[in-house]
DNA sequence: CACTTTATCTAGAACGTTCTAGGAGACGCT
DNA sequence: AGCGTCTCCTAGAACGTTCTAGATAAAGTG
C-alpha cells in the first residue's frame, strides 16, 4: 500500500519572516536577536515581539555555516558508564552557564570512536569534549587542528587533557587498606578501559611502597560486572585460604559489584573476611548492600576544567585530585 | 563568559577545492560525491580521487541547509538507564544499515526535555526518536509538524509511538507468581517514570484477574535503587510477617536491585522467603547475586520499528510483545 | 555655515552545499 | 540537412544566517 505523501511540515519561520512582520530589514532583525549593538530600543522591542509571536528560533545550521559559531559543544562518551553520566550532567550545567548547547555521541563497544567524532564535527559543534579510550592520539591531534578537542579521563599528548590523578587515588585506597592491617592485596584491573593502565601501575607501586610486608597481585578483568565476577570467582575457588588476598580493589564500582557477587557466592563476609573497594564512587557504591569504599573523582572540577579548555583558545590540560570515600566494605562496621 | 577565538584552524577542504583540483565544476563534483546520475565514469574517478587526496568531507550543515537531508537522526534519552543504552546500541546498528548518523541528547532529572528536543532539531536532524517521559503531548505534536518525531516507550496520542505491551508483560509476571502459589503481591511502582502508570494499572488488573484469592498492593517508589530500597525497607520493618507480601514486583531492574538490598538487610532469603521480579531484563538482572526474573523488552524490534517510523513519511505506531525471563529470584533453585 | 561624528539602519555578499535550467556535443532518424 | 534525443556538463540561484560596507539623518563642532 503506497504511503500517503508526508503532510508537508509547516515551514518554520525564518529571520526574513520576523523582519517582514516587524517592518525592518533582515540585517537589523539579526542584530536585535543576536543582542548585538546598533539597534534602537524601539526596534529591539518590535523585532523581539514579532519573533516571539511567530515562534522564531534561529537555524543553527545557517548560523554556524556563516559564522562558525553554533554555540554547540560535542560530547562523546559511553552510554553505560555511571561516571560518564555524572560527567555529562555536570557538563550540561557548565554549558548552561556559558550559553552553550550540548549534543552527544555514544562511543560503544564496537562503535568507531573516529566516526562518532566526525559525526559531532559534521553537526557543527565548536569544540568536542570526549572520553576516547582507544582512538589513536595521532588522530585526535590531527582533528584538533580543525577545532578544539579535549580529552577527558585520558592523557593524550598533544591535546588538552582533563584527567584525575589516578596514582593518588589508588595510593589512597592502598594505604588505607594497609593501615588496616591488610598485607595481601588484589587488584581486578580494567583491561583496555580508559585509565586501567594507570591504576594498574599505581597499584603495583603503591603496594610496594606502602609496606615491606605488603604484596599486590593483579588479575586481568574488565570494566564491568561480568568479567570481574568470573575472574574473582575462579580466584576464590582455586586459591587456598592461607594465600588468599584479604582485600580486593576493583577497577571501578561496576566491577566491584561483580566482585561482590563472587564474594557472596563464596560465602565470605564483607568486611570481616575480605575487604572490597571500588572506584568512581558512583551510585552503585552508595547502595546499601554494597556500601562500598570507593575513590571519588571530582566530577564538578573535571567538568569545569573541560569546559574551560574547550572554550579558551589553547585549552589547558589539568589533573584533578580524587578523594577516598570510606564506607563499610573496608572494615567499618555497618549500622 | 568570553569566548576567545581559536587559533586559525586549518580550513577544511570544500567542494570548490575538490572541483578545482579535479578540473570540473562544483556542480559536477557534487553530483559525483552524492553518487547521483549524470557523470561519466572518467569524471567520477577523477573527482573521487581528488576528494580522497584532499581528505574532503562534506559539510553536513551546508548540505542540510540546502537540501534538508542531513542523513542524521536525533535520539533523546536518559543517560543512566540501562534500557536506554541498549536501545541506543540497537538504533545505532539500524542507522548504520540505513546510512544514517545519530546524535544524542540527554534528558535528565532536571533538564528540560523540550530544550533537548530543540537542540537536536537545531543541529539539523531529519527526525527525532526519543524517550520523553514528561514532555506534554501537545508540544510533541506541535513539533512533529516540522519533522517526524517518534515517541519511544511512551504512547503519545498524535505522533507515532513505539512501545512495549506493558499490560502483557506485567500479566506474565503476575500469573507466573500466582502459579507458584503466591497470593500477596507487592508492586514497587516507578513514580512518574515512563510506563510507570501502565505497569501500575496492569498490576492491579492482573492481580485481580489472576485469582480470586490473590491480592495486590502498590507502594509508591521510583525508577532507581534508592527509593525502592527505602520504601521496601520501611515496608518490611513495619508489616507483620503474616500480612507481608511473599512476592515483590519492582518497576525495573534497578529498583529491583534496591529492593534486593532491603530484603538482604531484613535477613530474608530469596526466593525461599520472598520472591523478587524486575523489569527490562537489563544486565543487572543477569548479575549472579541478583539472578533476577525479569521482563525482557524486545529492544531490537523496538529499535527497528522506531527507525522505520522515523524514515517513512507518516510513521506507524507499533506495540511490541515483551517476554518473561524466569530466573532464580522467583523460585527456581540456583545451581 | 560646512564639517565631522554618532546612532540607526540597510543592501548585498558571503558560508558550502544542492538543485534547476539549460548548453554543448554526439548520435540516430527521417 | 533538419530535428529530436541522448549523455555529460555547467552557471547560478537557492537555503537562512552573519558580516562588511555603506547610506541616511540627526546632532555636535569650529
Amino acid at each position: 500500500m503506497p504511503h500517503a505523501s508526508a503532510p508537508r511540515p509547516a515551514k518554520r519561520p525564518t529571520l526574513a519572516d520576523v523582519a517582514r512582520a516587524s517592518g525592518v530589514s533582515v540585517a537589523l532583525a539579526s542584530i536585535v536577536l543576536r543582542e548585538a549593538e546598533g539597534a534602537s530600543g524601539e526596534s529591539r522591542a518590535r523585532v523581539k515581539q514579532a519573533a516571539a509571536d511567530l515562534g522564531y528560533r534561529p537555524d543553527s545550521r545557517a548560523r554556524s555555516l556563516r559564522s562558525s559559531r553554533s554555540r554547540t559543544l560535542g560530547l562523546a562518551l559511553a552510554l553505560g558508564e555511571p561516571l560518564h553520566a555524572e560527567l555529562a550532567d555536570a557538563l550540561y550545567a557548565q554549558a548552561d552557564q556559558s550559553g552553550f548547547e550540548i549534543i552527544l555521541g555514544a562511543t560503544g563497544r564496537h562503535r568507531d570512536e573516529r566516526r562518532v567524532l566526525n559525526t559531532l564535527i559534521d553537526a557543527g559543534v565548536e569544540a568536542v569534549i570526549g572520553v576516547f579510550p582507544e582512538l589513536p592520539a595521532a588522530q585526535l591531534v590531527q582533528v584538533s587542528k580543525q577545532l578544539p578537542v579535549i580529552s577527558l579521563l585520558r592523557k593524550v599528548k598533544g591535546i588538552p587533557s582533563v584527567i584525575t590523578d589516578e596514582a593518588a587515588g589508588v595510593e589512597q585506597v592502598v594505604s588505607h587498606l594497609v593501615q588496616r592491617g591488610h598485607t595481601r592485596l588484589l587488584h581486578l584491573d580494567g583491561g583496555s578501559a580508559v585509565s586501567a593502565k594507570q591504576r594498574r601501575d599505581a597499584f603495583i607501586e603503591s603496594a610496594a611502597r606502602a609496606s615491606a610486608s605488603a604484596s599486590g597481585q593483579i588479575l586481568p578483568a574488565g570494566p564491568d560486572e561480568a568479567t570481574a565476577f568470573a575472574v574473582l570467582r575462579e580466584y576464590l575457588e582455586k586459591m587456598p585460604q592461607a594465600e588468599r588476598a584479604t582485600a580486593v580493589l576493583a577497577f571501578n564500582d561496576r566491577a566491584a559489584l561483580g566482585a561482590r557477587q563472587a564474594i557472596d557466592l563464596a560465602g565470605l563476609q564483607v568486611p570481616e573476611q575480605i575487604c572490597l573497594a571500588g572506584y568512581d564512587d558512583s551510585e552503585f557504591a552508595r547502595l546499601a548492600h554494597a556500601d562500598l569504599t570507593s575513590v571519588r573523582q571530582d566530577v564538578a572540577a573535571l567538568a569545569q576544567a573541560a569546559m574551560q579548555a574547550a572554550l579558551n583558545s589553547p585549552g589547558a590540560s589539568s589533573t584533578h585530585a580524587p578523594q577516598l570515600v570510606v564506607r563499610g566494605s573496608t572494615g567499618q562496621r555497618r549500622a
Side-chain angles (χ1 to χ4, degrees), chain A:
Chain A
M1 185 156 147
H3 276 298
S5 65
R8 205 51 221 149
K11 211 194 57 169
R12 83 187 220 179
T14 143
L15 199 50
D17 297 329
V18 174
R20 198 173 316 115
S22 48
V24 301
S25 72
V26 172
L28 184 55
S30 170
I31 287 174
V32 170
L33 295 175
R34 267 180 297 136
E35 298 289 356
E37 301 209 319
S40 69
E42 200 211 346
S43 320
R44 294 210 116 82
R46 271 227 310 282
V47 170
K48 279 180 178 171
Q49 184 60 50
D53 290 348
L54 294 175
Y56 169 79
R57 287 216 339 277
D59 185 318
S60 95
R61 298 165 306 179
R63 166 176 287 179
S64 90
L65 181 58
R66 175 59 232 230
S67 67
S68 29
R69 285 290 184 79
S70 58
R71 304 225 68 120
T72 302
L73 243 56
L75 176 55
L77 37 68
L79 278 183
E81 298 291 336
L83 178 64
H84 293 197
E86 282 190 54
L87 281 167
D89 268 351
L91 280 163
Y92 264 103
Q94 287 287 329
D96 274 354
Q97 283 184 13
S98 326
F100 270 73
E101 297 294 336
I102 287 186
I103 62 178
L104 279 69
T107 62
R109 283 181 281 275
H110 303 300
R111 191 149 41 252
D112 188 1
E113 294 176 17
R114 179 56 192 266
R115 182 166 157 198
V116 171
L117 184 53
N118 282 345
T119 303
L120 290 174
I121 294 173
D122 287 348
V125 300
E126 288 186 34
V128 176
I129 298 173
V131 185
F132 296 104
E134 305 200 324
L135 194 56
Q139 291 198 40
L140 285 168
V141 171
Q142 174 66 27
V143 172
S144 79
K145 286 174 188 156
Q146 269 184 30
L147 44 61
V149 178
I150 316 299
S151 172
L152 252 184
L153 303 187
R154 169 185 165 204
K155 174 73 194 159
V156 174
K157 207 176 289 186
I159 70 171
S161 309
V162 174
I163 58 177
T164 291
D165 186 343
E166 302 292 353
V170 172
E171 164 72 29
Q172 286 181 55
V173 190
V174 168
S175 67
H176 164 73
L177 292 170
V178 168
Q179 268 179 10
R180 303 227 164 184
H182 294 275
T183 53
R184 290 191 307 279
L185 307 180
L186 179 67
H187 176 48
L188 299 175
D189 90 346
S192 65
V194 65
S195 23
K197 184 180 179 326
Q198 285 81 349
R199 290 182 199 167
R200 202 159 43 220
D201 295 348
F203 176 76
I204 301 274
E205 283 189 32
S206 298
R209 189 168 45 223
S211 150
S213 61
S215 77
Q217 185 186 352
I218 292 188
L219 243 46
D224 52 40
E225 296 86 356
T227 43
F229 170 75
V231 163
L232 186 58
R233 175 187 197 169
E234 194 190 340
Y235 172 89
L236 292 176
E237 279 175 359
K238 289 198 175 166
M239 192 63 67
Q241 189 180 339
E243 300 170 29
R244 198 161 61 199
T246 59
V248 176
L249 169 56
F251 169 68
N252 64 14
D253 293 339
R254 291 185 58 183
L257 220 57
R260 180 59 191 263
Q261 319 294 2
I263 291 171
D264 288 349
L265 191 69
L268 297 176
Q269 294 294 315
V270 175
E272 291 78 5
Q273 298 177 271
I274 192 166
C275 280
L276 178 63
Y279 211 108
D280 289 349
D281 191 38
S282 62
E283 44 194 350
F284 296 141
R286 285 167 227 142
L287 287 180
H289 174 70
D291 197 25
L292 201 63
T293 290
S294 193
V295 176
R296 169 144 202 83
Q297 305 204 38
D298 192 342
V299 170
L302 289 167
Q304 191 184 346
M307 184 64 68
Q308 199 108 28
L311 299 191
N312 292 334
S313 247
S317 288
S318 56
T319 303
H320 299 261
Q323 197 186 356
L324 181 67
V325 179
V326 176
R327 294 202 183 80
S329 72
T330 56
Q332 284 186 331
R333 304 285 152 196
R334 283 181 267 164

